[in-house]
Amino acid sequence: QVQLVESGGGLVQPGGSLSLSCVASGFTFSVYAMSWVRRAPGKGLEFVTAINSRSGSTTYADSVKGRFTISRDNAKNTLYLQMNSLKPDDTAVYYCAKSDVASVVMNRNGLPRYDYLGQGTQVTVSS
């Protein structure tokens, strides 16, 4: 079965950095687009960034553009999120999401098309 296991979250001061990983199993990782979404306390899911299956083409939410970088290693079945210049507003549970297609598709609700989410990893930005 599909499994997405995130890691790397934690507590960091404003301006700091964190690197998240998502190890995928149970499907052919290289075939599908992947995304990161997040849920802040008391809020709904929010798109963060996404990457196509093979071309490496990426897209970012305006709120993280220039600070976050998504990447993938298809040989290791792993998705990454490098987060720099973190702000308190970045505090959220971060989820890895698998698409059911190769290219990133954004739904009308502002979220990327996905069929599976991981269990999430908590990122807290606070002094």
Side-chain angles (χ1 to χ4, degrees):
Q1 71 277 22
V2 172
Q3 284 195 315
L4 302 169
V5 180
E6 301 95 335
S7 63
L11 174 64
V12 63
Q13 292 187 341
S17 297
L18 276 178
S19 181
L20 305 185
S21 298
C22 169
V23 178
S25 61
F27 65 101
T28 306
F29 180 75
S30 62
V31 171
Y32 299 101
M34 298 292 295
S35 303
W36 289 98
V37 296
R38 65 187 182 186
R39 179 179 280 122
K43 296 186 178 180
L45 278 178
E46 177 190 20
F47 169 68
V48 177
T49 179
I51 186 168
N52 281 354
S53 60
R54 297 184 188 273
S55 71
S57 177
T58 59
T59 183
Y60 294 89
D62 287 343
S63 59
V64 306
K65 203 171 292 183
R67 300 188 298 121
F68 290 12
T69 302
I70 187 173
S71 61
R72 64 190 297 163
D73 185 335
N74 288 338
K76 295 183 178 179
N77 290 351
T78 303
L79 180 72
Y80 303 99
L81 181 64
Q82 177 64 42
M83 304 185 295
N84 299 328
S85 302
L86 282 161
K87 305 174 182 180
D89 283 351
D90 296 318
T91 295
V93 178
Y94 284 72
Y95 300 90
C96 168
K98 170 193 169 294
S99 177
D100 58 349
V101 294
S103 296
V104 175
V105 175
M106 299 300 295
N107 291 325
R108 290 182 180 180
N109 62 5
L111 291 175
R113 176 169 166 169
Y114 70 90
D115 54 0
Y116 290 94
L117 278 182
Q119 84 290 346
T121 186
Q122 176 70 47
V123 172
T124 302
V125 184
S126 175
S127 55

